[in-house]
Amino acid sequence: MKIRKNIDVAVFLDNVRKCEGNVYFKTIEGDQLNLKSLLSQYILVSIINNEELMEKGAVDCSKASDAALLAQFLD
C-alpha cells in the first residue's frame, strides 16, 4: 500500500505506534524501514516530501488488523 499525499505525518506515526505488529516502509531497492523504530521514523519524515521515493515505496503491516488502523493514510 502506498502512503497518500499530504497526510498529517505526526498523526500517521502516532497510529503506527498503536499498531500491535510491525509496520514497514519498503523501498524499491529492497530496504525495509521498521516504522516502530524512532530512527526509521526520522528517515521517513526526511523523505516523505520526495514524490519519487514515496511513489516507489510501500507500507506493509505484519498484522492485517493494523492495516485497518492505517487505512485512512494509505491507498
Side-chain angles (χ1 to χ4, degrees), residues 7 13 18 20 23 26-27 35-37 40-41 43-46 48 52 59 62-65 68 72-75:
I7 64 166
L13 293 175
K18 294 176 185 175
E20 292 180 14
V23 180
K26 297 182 177 183
T27 67
L35 296 180
K36 292 271 190 140
S37 157
S40 294
Q41 290 175 7
I43 294 168
L44 181 72
V45 168
S46 71
I48 203 150
E52 183 179 349
V59 173
S62 64
K63 290 194 167 208
S65 60
Q72 63 182 324
F73 305 101
L74 307 174
D75 285 329

Side-chain angles (χ1 to χ4, degrees), residues 16-54:
V16 167
R17 285 189 278 280
K18 294 176 185 175
C19 292
E20 292 180 14
N22 289 313
V23 180
Y24 298 97
F25 180 78
K26 297 182 177 183
T27 67
I28 194 148
E29 291 87 13
D31 300 318
Q32 294 185 30
L33 301 174
N34 185 338
L35 296 180
K36 292 271 190 140
S37 157
L38 191 56
L39 177 60
S40 294
Q41 290 175 7
Y42 178 77
I43 294 168
L44 181 72
V45 168
S46 71
I47 65 170
I48 203 150
N49 290 322
N50 184 323
E51 280 189 44
E52 183 179 349
L53 292 175
M54 294 308 293

